[in-house]
Amino acid sequence: MRIELRRLTLSDLGEIDRIERQAYPTPWSRSMFAGELAKPSSISLGAFDADEQHMVGYLIISRYVDAWHIMNVAVDPPLRRHGIATQLLEELFNLTEGDPRRGYTLEVRVSNAHAIALYERLGFQATGVRRGYYTDNREDALIMWKDPVRVRQVG
Ligand SMILES: CC(C)(COP(=O)(O)OP(=O)(O)OC[C@H]1O[C@@H](n2cnc3c(N)ncnc32)[C@H](O)[C@@H]1OP(=O)(O)O)[C@@H](O)C(=O)NCCC(=O)NCCS
């Protein structure tokens, strides 16, 4: 499958919602996504099947003073383990490289071993725990961090 990445727009909300509901026990509402998409300080990327033109995953990032915060990343269940989340995160690193002030951070459920493995492979490290962070089951969040990505040297 050929994957195409592009910025999300409000017309993508229906497909985002379909994937979101399969990805999380407490999914974001459409209006939460609409709010993120409207923020100039956010980067919202979608991955699409280039031939069928339907969405296969998405990534929502917020810019803070000292970090890019990964707010949400999800991939359509039948299409997981094909490198789609990796492509989305690598596109984020490409778009934001050379910003020495901002690293990358996120919270992830301590039980979400799949996501933790993905982030570790991309250079994130666990830096702390937020106790009882998730309100649905009081689960702890692992805080992960990756240092700023330097501009790649050519030649
Ligand atoms: C986490 C998630 C986004 C990963 O998406 P994905 O496109 O399947 O990830 P990738 O194919 O890029 O995986 C890259 C690497 O991450 C690790 N990984 C990802 N999913 C894994 C799994 N189910 N089991 C073990 N390792 C896994 C592996 O190291 C994998 O590399 P490999 O396939 O070569 O072994 C996806 O499983 C998902 O949507 N989960 C539900 C939502 C969620 O939990 N999001 C994160 C919230 S913080």
Side-chain angles (χ1 to χ4, degrees), residues 23-24 72-76 79-87 106-109 112-115 117-119 121 134:
Y24 296 104
N72 198 333
V73 55
V75 171
D76 207 1
L79 298 169
R80 290 180 187 167
R81 294 308 284 274
H82 287 88
I84 294 169
T86 300
Q87 280 192 53
L106 58 91
E107 284 99 17
V108 56
R109 287 178 193 264
N112 195 347
H114 301 162
L118 163 75
Y119 299 134
R121 236 174 80 143
Y134 295 99

Side-chain angles (χ1 to χ4, degrees), residues 40-140:
S41 57
S42 293
I43 297 178
S44 302
L45 296 173
F48 296 82
D49 178 328
D51 302 312
E52 307 279 332
Q53 284 299 317
H54 63 74
M55 185 183 291
V56 296
Y58 52 81
L59 173 67
I60 311 282
I61 311 294
S62 260
R63 190 185 69 217
Y64 288 81
V65 175
D66 61 346
W68 295 98
H69 196 123
I70 294 162
M71 310 294 289
N72 198 333
V73 55
V75 171
D76 207 1
L79 298 169
R80 290 180 187 167
R81 294 308 284 274
H82 287 88
I84 294 169
T86 300
Q87 280 192 53
L88 283 163
L89 285 156
E90 284 180 343
E91 178 70 2
L92 168 72
F93 302 145
N94 289 338
L95 289 170
T96 56
E97 69 177 4
D99 175 356
R101 288 175 307 169
R102 292 190 182 87
Y104 305 86
T105 191
L106 58 91
E107 284 99 17
V108 56
R109 287 178 193 264
V110 290
S111 65
N112 195 347
H114 301 162
I116 293 169
L118 163 75
Y119 299 134
E120 284 179 340
R121 236 174 80 143
L122 290 168
F124 286 83
Q125 291 181 334
T127 54
V129 169
R130 286 192 215 288
R131 298 263 166 236
Y133 179 77
Y134 295 99
T135 48
D136 55 353
N137 64 353
R138 300 247 141 252
E139 185 169 352
D140 296 344

Side-chain angles (χ1 to χ4, degrees), residues 4-13 15-16 19 33 36-38 42-48 55-61 72 88:
E4 226 168 61
L5 303 181
R6 65 163 170 80
R7 302 270 178 153
L8 294 169
T9 68
L10 291 178
S11 66
D12 296 315
L13 284 177
E15 285 207 273
I16 293 173
I19 295 175
F33 281 103
E36 288 299 321
L37 264 55
S42 293
I43 297 178
S44 302
L45 296 173
F48 296 82
M55 185 183 291
V56 296
Y58 52 81
L59 173 67
I60 311 282
I61 311 294
N72 198 333
L88 283 163

